[in-house]
Amino acid sequence: MSCPSTDPSTSAGRPVAVVTGAAGSIGSRLVERFGEAGYDVVGLDLAGAVEAVGDAAARARMLACDITDVASVRQATDAVLARHGRIDVLVNNAGISAIGAFTDHDVAVHRRVMEVDYLAVVACTQAMLPALREAHGRVVLIGSVTGFAPVLGRPAYVAAKHAATGLFEALRPELAPDVGVTVVHPTFVTGGMGEAADRAAGTARATTGAEITPDDVARAVVAGVTRGRDRVLVGRTARLAWVISRHAPGLYVRMMKRRLR
């Protein structure tokens, strides 16, 4: 399938990338790497997170936005278009997890994870889709290994990432050829991420394989967008999980349970 070009060298003027969760560890690296690649970058994050950014130049490239609030998303979209006149790339990066067993978290926790990791993705993508279509741009989901395979110790997060991944797989043929769709599946990232609830006593964040850095993810995202990739697997563990979970799902589950327990 042919893909819209989002290579700055072939676009009229400087292309514009919007990154959600831009004050976080991966988000801040995405803002920097897209800037280095020739994009004007606008980062979206909660007002408190934006205010806490220590670097004045980085803070100037950010807008306060609660991506779980549709009105806030629409206001931010209007602000980006008023400032830059276009949106070429949307990176749905913001996310939270919930570490623990299924019975450790009530419905409210599951709802909160779904609001940030799935429904906010819907809100941002719908709001910016007309501009992306006009630019023949690309929409990106920062997914996870949990978006295509079961992973112990974070069922709410697995559910939300499966939902978001399924959405983007459905959008790819629907939006083609006007808008390209890239799903990025990193393995475990150093430092982890924000969580929707306190962990139960004695519950730790389990990982398997070598962790990757936020900058590893950012570099892979920019490369995937530039090359028009449909899917990007970041890290050896992600690549192994992709192959094994598809060709030997029983073996994958046994290996995952042994390593994460």
Short mmCIF file of all heavy atoms in Angstrom, two decimals, residues 181-256:
data_model
loop_
_atom_site.label_atom_id
_atom_site.label_comp_id
_atom_site.label_asym_id
_atom_site.label_seq_id
_atom_site.Cartn_x
_atom_site.Cartn_y
_atom_site.Cartn_z
N VAL A 181 -1.07 5.35 8.65
CA VAL A 181 -1.26 4.91 10.04
C VAL A 181 -0.07 4.07 10.46
O VAL A 181 0.24 3.06 9.83
CB VAL A 181 -2.57 4.10 10.20
CG1 VAL A 181 -2.68 3.53 11.61
CG2 VAL A 181 -3.78 4.98 9.88
N THR A 182 0.58 4.48 11.53
CA THR A 182 1.74 3.76 12.06
C THR A 182 1.45 3.36 13.50
O THR A 182 1.08 4.21 14.32
CB THR A 182 3.00 4.63 12.03
OG1 THR A 182 3.32 4.96 10.68
CG2 THR A 182 4.19 3.91 12.66
N VAL A 183 1.64 2.09 13.81
CA VAL A 183 1.53 1.59 15.18
C VAL A 183 2.92 1.18 15.65
O VAL A 183 3.59 0.38 14.99
CB VAL A 183 0.56 0.41 15.29
CG1 VAL A 183 0.44 -0.06 16.74
CG2 VAL A 183 -0.82 0.79 14.75
N VAL A 184 3.34 1.74 16.77
CA VAL A 184 4.68 1.48 17.32
C VAL A 184 4.52 0.63 18.57
O VAL A 184 3.77 0.98 19.48
CB VAL A 184 5.40 2.80 17.66
CG1 VAL A 184 6.79 2.52 18.21
CG2 VAL A 184 5.47 3.69 16.43
N HIS A 185 5.23 -0.49 18.59
CA HIS A 185 5.15 -1.42 19.73
C HIS A 185 6.50 -1.51 20.42
O HIS A 185 7.35 -2.32 20.06
CB HIS A 185 4.74 -2.82 19.26
CG HIS A 185 3.37 -2.89 18.66
ND1 HIS A 185 2.22 -2.69 19.40
CD2 HIS A 185 2.97 -3.17 17.40
CE1 HIS A 185 1.17 -2.85 18.61
NE2 HIS A 185 1.60 -3.13 17.39
N PRO A 186 6.74 -0.68 21.45
CA PRO A 186 7.99 -0.83 22.21
C PRO A 186 7.88 -1.97 23.20
O PRO A 186 6.78 -2.35 23.64
CB PRO A 186 8.13 0.51 22.95
CG PRO A 186 7.03 1.39 22.43
CD PRO A 186 5.98 0.49 21.89
N THR A 187 9.03 -2.50 23.60
CA THR A 187 9.08 -3.40 24.75
C THR A 187 9.18 -2.54 26.00
O THR A 187 8.88 -1.34 25.97
CB THR A 187 10.26 -4.38 24.63
OG1 THR A 187 10.21 -5.29 25.73
CG2 THR A 187 11.61 -3.66 24.64
N PHE A 188 9.56 -3.12 27.13
CA PHE A 188 9.63 -2.38 28.40
C PHE A 188 10.63 -1.23 28.29
O PHE A 188 11.75 -1.40 27.82
CB PHE A 188 10.04 -3.32 29.53
CG PHE A 188 9.05 -4.43 29.76
CD1 PHE A 188 9.29 -5.71 29.26
CD2 PHE A 188 7.89 -4.21 30.48
CE1 PHE A 188 8.37 -6.74 29.47
CE2 PHE A 188 6.98 -5.23 30.70
CZ PHE A 188 7.22 -6.49 30.18
N VAL A 189 10.19 -0.04 28.73
CA VAL A 189 10.99 1.18 28.63
C VAL A 189 11.50 1.55 30.02
O VAL A 189 10.75 1.51 31.01
CB VAL A 189 10.16 2.33 28.05
CG1 VAL A 189 11.00 3.61 27.95
CG2 VAL A 189 9.62 1.95 26.67
N THR A 190 12.75 1.94 30.11
CA THR A 190 13.35 2.31 31.39
C THR A 190 12.53 3.41 32.07
O THR A 190 12.08 4.35 31.43
CB THR A 190 14.79 2.81 31.21
OG1 THR A 190 14.79 3.89 30.25
CG2 THR A 190 15.70 1.69 30.73
N GLY A 191 12.35 3.25 33.36
CA GLY A 191 11.62 4.25 34.13
C GLY A 191 10.13 4.00 34.24
O GLY A 191 9.46 4.59 35.09
N GLY A 192 9.59 3.14 33.39
CA GLY A 192 8.17 2.88 33.45
C GLY A 192 7.34 4.10 33.05
O GLY A 192 7.79 4.97 32.31
N MET A 193 6.12 4.20 33.57
CA MET A 193 5.20 5.28 33.19
C MET A 193 4.28 5.57 34.36
O MET A 193 4.27 4.87 35.37
CB MET A 193 4.40 4.86 31.96
CG MET A 193 3.52 3.65 32.18
SD MET A 193 2.87 2.94 30.64
CE MET A 193 2.15 4.36 29.86
N GLY A 194 3.50 6.63 34.21
CA GLY A 194 2.54 6.96 35.24
C GLY A 194 1.50 5.87 35.41
O GLY A 194 1.20 5.12 34.48
N GLU A 195 0.95 5.77 36.61
CA GLU A 195 -0.02 4.72 36.92
C GLU A 195 -1.31 5.32 37.43
O GLU A 195 -1.31 6.36 38.09
CB GLU A 195 0.58 3.74 37.93
CG GLU A 195 1.80 3.02 37.38
CD GLU A 195 2.47 2.10 38.40
OE1 GLU A 195 1.76 1.59 39.30
OE2 GLU A 195 3.69 1.91 38.31
N ALA A 196 -2.41 4.64 37.15
CA ALA A 196 -3.73 5.15 37.49
C ALA A 196 -4.10 4.93 38.95
O ALA A 196 -5.06 5.53 39.42
CB ALA A 196 -4.78 4.47 36.60
N ALA A 197 -3.35 4.11 39.67
CA ALA A 197 -3.66 3.82 41.07
C ALA A 197 -2.40 3.35 41.78
O ALA A 197 -1.45 2.90 41.15
CB ALA A 197 -4.74 2.74 41.15
N ASP A 198 -2.42 3.50 43.09
CA ASP A 198 -1.31 2.98 43.89
C ASP A 198 -1.26 1.46 43.77
O ASP A 198 -2.30 0.79 43.68
CB ASP A 198 -1.48 3.36 45.36
CG ASP A 198 -1.37 4.86 45.59
OD1 ASP A 198 -0.72 5.53 44.76
OD2 ASP A 198 -1.95 5.34 46.58
N ARG A 199 -0.05 0.93 43.79
CA ARG A 199 0.10 -0.52 43.71
C ARG A 199 -0.24 -1.17 45.04
O ARG A 199 -0.04 -0.59 46.10
CB ARG A 199 1.54 -0.88 43.34
CG ARG A 199 1.98 -0.34 42.01
CD ARG A 199 3.42 -0.70 41.73
NE ARG A 199 3.98 0.04 40.60
CZ ARG A 199 5.24 0.00 40.22
NH1 ARG A 199 6.10 -0.77 40.89
NH2 ARG A 199 5.66 0.71 39.19
N ALA A 200 -0.74 -2.41 44.95
CA ALA A 200 -0.98 -3.17 46.17
C ALA A 200 0.35 -3.47 46.84
O ALA A 200 1.40 -3.51 46.19
CB ALA A 200 -1.71 -4.47 45.82
N ALA A 201 0.32 -3.64 48.15
CA ALA A 201 1.54 -3.92 48.92
C ALA A 201 2.27 -5.12 48.34
O ALA A 201 1.66 -6.17 48.07
CB ALA A 201 1.20 -4.16 50.38
N GLY A 202 3.58 -4.96 48.15
CA GLY A 202 4.39 -6.06 47.65
C GLY A 202 4.35 -6.25 46.15
O GLY A 202 4.97 -7.17 45.62
N THR A 203 3.62 -5.39 45.43
CA THR A 203 3.51 -5.52 43.98
C THR A 203 4.60 -4.69 43.31
O THR A 203 4.74 -3.50 43.58
CB THR A 203 2.14 -5.02 43.49
OG1 THR A 203 1.11 -5.79 44.12
CG2 THR A 203 2.03 -5.18 41.98
N ALA A 204 5.37 -5.33 42.45
CA ALA A 204 6.46 -4.65 41.75
C ALA A 204 6.20 -4.66 40.26
O ALA A 204 5.42 -5.47 39.74
CB ALA A 204 7.79 -5.34 42.05
N ARG A 205 6.82 -3.72 39.56
CA ARG A 205 6.74 -3.68 38.10
C ARG A 205 7.71 -4.71 37.54
O ARG A 205 8.91 -4.54 37.58
CB ARG A 205 7.09 -2.28 37.59
CG ARG A 205 7.21 -2.17 36.06
CD ARG A 205 7.58 -0.74 35.66
NE ARG A 205 7.83 -0.63 34.24
CZ ARG A 205 9.05 -0.65 33.68
NH1 ARG A 205 10.13 -0.77 34.44
NH2 ARG A 205 9.19 -0.54 32.37
N ALA A 206 7.17 -5.79 36.99
CA ALA A 206 8.00 -6.86 36.44
C ALA A 206 8.31 -6.55 34.98
O ALA A 206 7.49 -6.02 34.24
CB ALA A 206 7.28 -8.20 36.54
N THR A 207 9.53 -6.88 34.55
CA THR A 207 9.93 -6.72 33.16
C THR A 207 10.64 -7.99 32.71
O THR A 207 11.04 -8.83 33.52
CB THR A 207 10.88 -5.52 32.97
OG1 THR A 207 12.09 -5.77 33.69
CG2 THR A 207 10.24 -4.24 33.47
N THR A 208 10.80 -8.13 31.42
CA THR A 208 11.56 -9.25 30.88
C THR A 208 12.40 -8.76 29.71
O THR A 208 11.97 -7.90 28.94
CB THR A 208 10.63 -10.39 30.42
OG1 THR A 208 11.42 -11.46 29.89
CG2 THR A 208 9.65 -9.93 29.35
N GLY A 209 13.60 -9.28 29.59
CA GLY A 209 14.49 -8.85 28.53
C GLY A 209 15.10 -7.50 28.83
O GLY A 209 14.78 -6.85 29.83
N ALA A 210 15.96 -7.05 27.95
CA ALA A 210 16.63 -5.77 28.12
C ALA A 210 15.64 -4.63 27.89
O ALA A 210 14.88 -4.64 26.92
CB ALA A 210 17.79 -5.65 27.15
N GLU A 211 15.62 -3.66 28.81
CA GLU A 211 14.77 -2.50 28.63
C GLU A 211 15.38 -1.56 27.60
O GLU A 211 16.61 -1.50 27.44
CB GLU A 211 14.57 -1.77 29.96
CG GLU A 211 13.74 -2.54 30.97
CD GLU A 211 13.47 -1.74 32.23
OE1 GLU A 211 14.42 -1.58 33.03
OE2 GLU A 211 12.33 -1.27 32.41
N ILE A 212 14.51 -0.82 26.93
CA ILE A 212 14.97 0.18 25.98
C ILE A 212 14.79 1.56 26.60
O ILE A 212 14.11 1.71 27.62
CB ILE A 212 14.21 0.08 24.64
CG1 ILE A 212 12.70 0.26 24.87
CG2 ILE A 212 14.51 -1.24 23.96
CD1 ILE A 212 11.88 0.27 23.60
N THR A 213 15.38 2.58 25.99
CA THR A 213 15.30 3.93 26.54
C THR A 213 14.20 4.72 25.84
O THR A 213 13.80 4.39 24.71
CB THR A 213 16.63 4.68 26.38
OG1 THR A 213 16.84 4.95 24.98
CG2 THR A 213 17.79 3.85 26.94
N PRO A 214 13.72 5.80 26.47
CA PRO A 214 12.76 6.67 25.77
C PRO A 214 13.30 7.19 24.44
O PRO A 214 12.53 7.32 23.47
CB PRO A 214 12.55 7.81 26.78
CG PRO A 214 12.77 7.17 28.11
CD PRO A 214 13.89 6.19 27.88
N ASP A 215 14.60 7.46 24.37
CA ASP A 215 15.16 7.94 23.11
C ASP A 215 15.17 6.85 22.05
O ASP A 215 15.03 7.16 20.86
CB ASP A 215 16.58 8.47 23.34
CG ASP A 215 17.06 9.32 22.18
OD1 ASP A 215 16.33 10.26 21.79
OD2 ASP A 215 18.16 9.05 21.65
N ASP A 216 15.34 5.59 22.44
CA ASP A 216 15.22 4.50 21.47
C ASP A 216 13.84 4.54 20.81
O ASP A 216 13.71 4.35 19.59
CB ASP A 216 15.40 3.13 22.15
CG ASP A 216 16.81 2.89 22.65
OD1 ASP A 216 17.76 3.45 22.07
OD2 ASP A 216 16.97 2.12 23.63
N VAL A 217 12.80 4.76 21.63
CA VAL A 217 11.44 4.81 21.09
C VAL A 217 11.28 6.01 20.16
O VAL A 217 10.76 5.89 19.05
CB VAL A 217 10.41 4.88 22.24
CG1 VAL A 217 8.99 4.95 21.66
CG2 VAL A 217 10.55 3.69 23.18
N ALA A 218 11.75 7.17 20.59
CA ALA A 218 11.59 8.38 19.79
C ALA A 218 12.29 8.26 18.44
O ALA A 218 11.73 8.64 17.40
CB ALA A 218 12.14 9.58 20.56
N ARG A 219 13.49 7.75 18.44
CA ARG A 219 14.22 7.57 17.18
C ARG A 219 13.47 6.61 16.25
O ARG A 219 13.38 6.85 15.03
CB ARG A 219 15.63 7.04 17.45
CG ARG A 219 16.57 8.06 18.08
CD ARG A 219 17.91 7.40 18.39
NE ARG A 219 18.86 8.32 18.99
CZ ARG A 219 19.69 9.11 18.31
NH1 ARG A 219 19.67 9.07 16.98
NH2 ARG A 219 20.52 9.92 18.93
N ALA A 220 12.93 5.53 16.82
CA ALA A 220 12.21 4.56 16.01
C ALA A 220 10.94 5.15 15.43
O ALA A 220 10.56 4.86 14.29
CB ALA A 220 11.89 3.32 16.85
N VAL A 221 10.27 6.00 16.20
CA VAL A 221 9.04 6.64 15.71
C VAL A 221 9.35 7.56 14.54
O VAL A 221 8.69 7.50 13.49
CB VAL A 221 8.36 7.43 16.84
CG1 VAL A 221 7.20 8.27 16.28
CG2 VAL A 221 7.83 6.48 17.92
N VAL A 222 10.34 8.42 14.68
CA VAL A 222 10.68 9.35 13.59
C VAL A 222 11.10 8.58 12.34
O VAL A 222 10.68 8.92 11.22
CB VAL A 222 11.79 10.32 14.04
CG1 VAL A 222 12.25 11.18 12.86
CG2 VAL A 222 11.29 11.22 15.18
N ALA A 223 11.88 7.53 12.52
CA ALA A 223 12.28 6.72 11.37
C ALA A 223 11.07 6.05 10.72
O ALA A 223 10.96 6.00 9.49
CB ALA A 223 13.30 5.67 11.80
N GLY A 224 10.15 5.54 11.54
CA GLY A 224 8.97 4.88 11.01
C GLY A 224 8.08 5.84 10.23
O GLY A 224 7.53 5.49 9.18
N VAL A 225 7.93 7.06 10.73
CA VAL A 225 7.12 8.07 10.04
C VAL A 225 7.79 8.45 8.73
O VAL A 225 7.14 8.53 7.68
CB VAL A 225 6.93 9.30 10.94
CG1 VAL A 225 6.39 10.48 10.15
CG2 VAL A 225 6.00 8.96 12.11
N THR A 226 9.09 8.72 8.77
CA THR A 226 9.82 9.12 7.57
C THR A 226 9.73 8.06 6.48
O THR A 226 9.60 8.38 5.29
CB THR A 226 11.29 9.39 7.92
OG1 THR A 226 11.36 10.42 8.91
CG2 THR A 226 12.08 9.82 6.69
N ARG A 227 9.77 6.80 6.88
CA ARG A 227 9.75 5.69 5.91
C ARG A 227 8.33 5.21 5.58
O ARG A 227 8.16 4.30 4.77
CB ARG A 227 10.57 4.52 6.45
CG ARG A 227 12.05 4.87 6.64
CD ARG A 227 12.75 3.80 7.44
NE ARG A 227 14.15 4.18 7.71
CZ ARG A 227 14.92 3.58 8.59
NH1 ARG A 227 14.47 2.55 9.30
NH2 ARG A 227 16.16 4.00 8.78
N GLY A 228 7.32 5.80 6.21
CA GLY A 228 5.95 5.39 5.93
C GLY A 228 5.64 3.98 6.40
O GLY A 228 4.85 3.28 5.75
N ARG A 229 6.19 3.59 7.54
CA ARG A 229 6.00 2.23 8.05
C ARG A 229 4.62 2.06 8.69
O ARG A 229 4.15 2.93 9.42
CB ARG A 229 7.08 1.92 9.08
CG ARG A 229 8.50 1.90 8.54
CD ARG A 229 8.83 0.56 7.92
NE ARG A 229 8.71 -0.51 8.90
CZ ARG A 229 9.67 -0.83 9.79
NH1 ARG A 229 10.79 -0.12 9.84
NH2 ARG A 229 9.50 -1.82 10.63
N ASP A 230 4.00 0.93 8.45
CA ASP A 230 2.73 0.60 9.10
C ASP A 230 2.93 0.18 10.55
O ASP A 230 2.09 0.47 11.41
CB ASP A 230 2.02 -0.54 8.36
CG ASP A 230 1.45 -0.12 7.02
OD1 ASP A 230 1.36 1.10 6.77
OD2 ASP A 230 1.09 -1.00 6.23
N ARG A 231 4.01 -0.54 10.80
CA ARG A 231 4.24 -1.08 12.14
C ARG A 231 5.72 -0.99 12.47
O ARG A 231 6.58 -1.27 11.62
CB ARG A 231 3.79 -2.54 12.24
CG ARG A 231 3.98 -3.19 13.59
CD ARG A 231 3.35 -4.56 13.64
NE ARG A 231 1.90 -4.45 13.57
CZ ARG A 231 1.17 -4.68 12.48
NH1 ARG A 231 1.78 -5.06 11.35
NH2 ARG A 231 -0.13 -4.54 12.49
N VAL A 232 6.03 -0.61 13.71
CA VAL A 232 7.41 -0.52 14.16
C VAL A 232 7.52 -1.27 15.48
O VAL A 232 6.82 -0.96 16.45
CB VAL A 232 7.83 0.96 14.37
CG1 VAL A 232 9.28 1.03 14.86
CG2 VAL A 232 7.66 1.76 13.08
N LEU A 233 8.39 -2.26 15.53
CA LEU A 233 8.67 -3.02 16.75
C LEU A 233 9.99 -2.52 17.31
O LEU A 233 11.01 -2.56 16.63
CB LEU A 233 8.74 -4.52 16.45
CG LEU A 233 7.45 -5.13 15.87
CD1 LEU A 233 7.73 -6.49 15.25
CD2 LEU A 233 6.39 -5.25 16.94
N VAL A 234 9.97 -2.05 18.56
CA VAL A 234 11.15 -1.42 19.14
C VAL A 234 11.71 -2.31 20.24
O VAL A 234 11.08 -2.52 21.28
CB VAL A 234 10.84 -0.03 19.73
CG1 VAL A 234 12.14 0.71 20.05
CG2 VAL A 234 9.99 0.79 18.76
N GLY A 235 12.89 -2.84 20.01
CA GLY A 235 13.55 -3.69 21.00
C GLY A 235 13.46 -5.16 20.64
O GLY A 235 12.48 -5.62 20.03
N ARG A 236 14.50 -5.90 21.01
CA ARG A 236 14.57 -7.33 20.68
C ARG A 236 13.40 -8.10 21.28
O ARG A 236 12.82 -8.98 20.64
CB ARG A 236 15.90 -7.90 21.18
CG ARG A 236 16.10 -9.38 20.88
CD ARG A 236 17.49 -9.84 21.28
NE ARG A 236 17.70 -11.25 20.97
CZ ARG A 236 17.40 -12.25 21.80
NH1 ARG A 236 16.88 -11.98 23.00
NH2 ARG A 236 17.61 -13.50 21.45
N THR A 237 13.02 -7.77 22.52
CA THR A 237 11.91 -8.48 23.16
C THR A 237 10.61 -8.27 22.40
O THR A 237 9.81 -9.21 22.25
CB THR A 237 11.76 -8.01 24.61
OG1 THR A 237 12.96 -8.31 25.33
CG2 THR A 237 10.59 -8.70 25.30
N ALA A 238 10.39 -7.07 21.91
CA ALA A 238 9.17 -6.81 21.13
C ALA A 238 9.16 -7.63 19.85
O ALA A 238 8.13 -8.19 19.47
CB ALA A 238 9.07 -5.32 20.80
N ARG A 239 10.30 -7.71 19.18
CA ARG A 239 10.36 -8.47 17.92
C ARG A 239 10.15 -9.96 18.18
O ARG A 239 9.42 -10.62 17.42
CB ARG A 239 11.69 -8.22 17.22
CG ARG A 239 11.85 -6.77 16.72
CD ARG A 239 13.07 -6.59 15.86
NE ARG A 239 14.31 -6.72 16.61
CZ ARG A 239 14.93 -5.72 17.22
NH1 ARG A 239 14.40 -4.50 17.19
NH2 ARG A 239 16.06 -5.90 17.87
N LEU A 240 10.75 -10.49 19.23
CA LEU A 240 10.56 -11.90 19.57
C LEU A 240 9.11 -12.17 19.96
O LEU A 240 8.52 -13.18 19.55
CB LEU A 240 11.49 -12.30 20.70
CG LEU A 240 12.98 -12.44 20.36
CD1 LEU A 240 13.80 -12.68 21.62
CD2 LEU A 240 13.19 -13.59 19.37
N ALA A 241 8.53 -11.28 20.77
CA ALA A 241 7.15 -11.47 21.21
C ALA A 241 6.20 -11.47 20.02
O ALA A 241 5.23 -12.25 19.98
CB ALA A 241 6.77 -10.37 22.20
N TRP A 242 6.46 -10.59 19.04
CA TRP A 242 5.61 -10.53 17.86
C TRP A 242 5.61 -11.86 17.12
O TRP A 242 4.55 -12.39 16.75
CB TRP A 242 6.08 -9.40 16.94
CG TRP A 242 5.33 -9.31 15.66
CD1 TRP A 242 5.67 -9.85 14.46
CD2 TRP A 242 4.08 -8.64 15.45
NE1 TRP A 242 4.73 -9.55 13.50
CE2 TRP A 242 3.74 -8.80 14.09
CE3 TRP A 242 3.23 -7.90 16.27
CZ2 TRP A 242 2.57 -8.27 13.54
CZ3 TRP A 242 2.06 -7.37 15.72
CH2 TRP A 242 1.76 -7.55 14.38
N VAL A 243 6.78 -12.43 16.91
CA VAL A 243 6.89 -13.67 16.13
C VAL A 243 6.33 -14.85 16.92
O VAL A 243 5.51 -15.63 16.43
CB VAL A 243 8.36 -13.93 15.75
CG1 VAL A 243 8.50 -15.30 15.10
CG2 VAL A 243 8.86 -12.83 14.80
N ILE A 244 6.76 -14.99 18.18
CA ILE A 244 6.38 -16.16 18.95
C ILE A 244 4.89 -16.15 19.27
O ILE A 244 4.21 -17.19 19.20
CB ILE A 244 7.21 -16.25 20.25
CG1 ILE A 244 8.69 -16.44 19.90
CG2 ILE A 244 6.74 -17.42 21.12
CD1 ILE A 244 9.62 -16.34 21.11
N SER A 245 4.33 -14.97 19.63
CA SER A 245 2.91 -14.93 19.99
C SER A 245 2.01 -15.28 18.81
O SER A 245 0.89 -15.77 19.01
CB SER A 245 2.55 -13.54 20.53
OG SER A 245 2.66 -12.54 19.53
N ARG A 246 2.50 -15.08 17.59
CA ARG A 246 1.71 -15.40 16.42
C ARG A 246 1.88 -16.85 15.95
O ARG A 246 0.92 -17.48 15.56
CB ARG A 246 2.05 -14.44 15.27
CG ARG A 246 1.20 -13.22 15.32
CD ARG A 246 1.80 -11.98 14.77
NE ARG A 246 0.83 -10.91 14.87
CZ ARG A 246 0.42 -10.34 16.02
NH1 ARG A 246 0.94 -10.77 17.15
NH2 ARG A 246 -0.50 -9.39 16.03
N HIS A 247 3.08 -17.33 16.02
CA HIS A 247 3.35 -18.67 15.49
C HIS A 247 3.30 -19.77 16.55
O HIS A 247 3.08 -20.93 16.21
CB HIS A 247 4.71 -18.67 14.79
CG HIS A 247 4.77 -17.77 13.60
ND1 HIS A 247 4.19 -18.09 12.39
CD2 HIS A 247 5.32 -16.55 13.42
CE1 HIS A 247 4.39 -17.11 11.52
NE2 HIS A 247 5.06 -16.16 12.13
N ALA A 248 3.50 -19.41 17.81
CA ALA A 248 3.45 -20.41 18.89
C ALA A 248 2.88 -19.74 20.14
O ALA A 248 3.60 -19.49 21.10
CB ALA A 248 4.85 -20.97 19.16
N PRO A 249 1.59 -19.40 20.12
CA PRO A 249 1.00 -18.66 21.24
C PRO A 249 1.12 -19.37 22.58
O PRO A 249 1.30 -18.72 23.61
CB PRO A 249 -0.46 -18.46 20.82
CG PRO A 249 -0.71 -19.48 19.76
CD PRO A 249 0.59 -19.67 19.07
N GLY A 250 1.03 -20.69 22.58
CA GLY A 250 1.17 -21.43 23.83
C GLY A 250 2.58 -21.29 24.40
O GLY A 250 2.75 -21.10 25.62
N LEU A 251 3.58 -21.36 23.54
CA LEU A 251 4.97 -21.17 23.97
C LEU A 251 5.16 -19.75 24.49
O LEU A 251 5.83 -19.55 25.51
CB LEU A 251 5.91 -21.45 22.79
CG LEU A 251 7.40 -21.14 23.03
CD1 LEU A 251 7.94 -22.00 24.17
CD2 LEU A 251 8.19 -21.36 21.74
N TYR A 252 4.58 -18.78 23.81
CA TYR A 252 4.71 -17.40 24.27
C TYR A 252 4.17 -17.24 25.69
O TYR A 252 4.82 -16.64 26.55
CB TYR A 252 3.96 -16.44 23.33
CG TYR A 252 3.84 -15.05 23.93
CD1 TYR A 252 4.88 -14.14 23.82
CD2 TYR A 252 2.71 -14.68 24.67
CE1 TYR A 252 4.79 -12.88 24.41
CE2 TYR A 252 2.61 -13.43 25.26
CZ TYR A 252 3.65 -12.54 25.13
OH TYR A 252 3.57 -11.32 25.74
N VAL A 253 2.99 -17.79 25.95
CA VAL A 253 2.39 -17.65 27.28
C VAL A 253 3.25 -18.32 28.34
O VAL A 253 3.47 -17.77 29.42
CB VAL A 253 0.96 -18.23 27.28
CG1 VAL A 253 0.42 -18.32 28.71
CG2 VAL A 253 0.03 -17.35 26.43
N ARG A 254 3.77 -19.49 28.04
CA ARG A 254 4.63 -20.18 29.01
C ARG A 254 5.89 -19.37 29.30
O ARG A 254 6.30 -19.25 30.46
CB ARG A 254 4.99 -21.57 28.49
CG ARG A 254 3.82 -22.56 28.47
CD ARG A 254 4.29 -23.98 28.28
NE ARG A 254 4.98 -24.20 27.01
CZ ARG A 254 4.37 -24.49 25.87
NH1 ARG A 254 3.04 -24.59 25.83
NH2 ARG A 254 5.05 -24.71 24.77
N MET A 255 6.51 -18.85 28.26
CA MET A 255 7.73 -18.04 28.46
C MET A 255 7.44 -16.77 29.24
O MET A 255 8.17 -16.39 30.15
CB MET A 255 8.34 -17.71 27.10
CG MET A 255 8.91 -18.88 26.34
SD MET A 255 9.44 -18.45 24.66
CE MET A 255 10.74 -17.27 25.01
N MET A 256 6.33 -16.11 28.89
CA MET A 256 5.96 -14.87 29.56
C MET A 256 5.67 -15.10 31.03
O MET A 256 6.13 -14.35 31.90
CB MET A 256 4.76 -14.25 28.85
CG MET A 256 4.27 -12.94 29.42
SD MET A 256 2.89 -13.15 30.57
CE MET A 256 1.68 -13.97 29.51
#
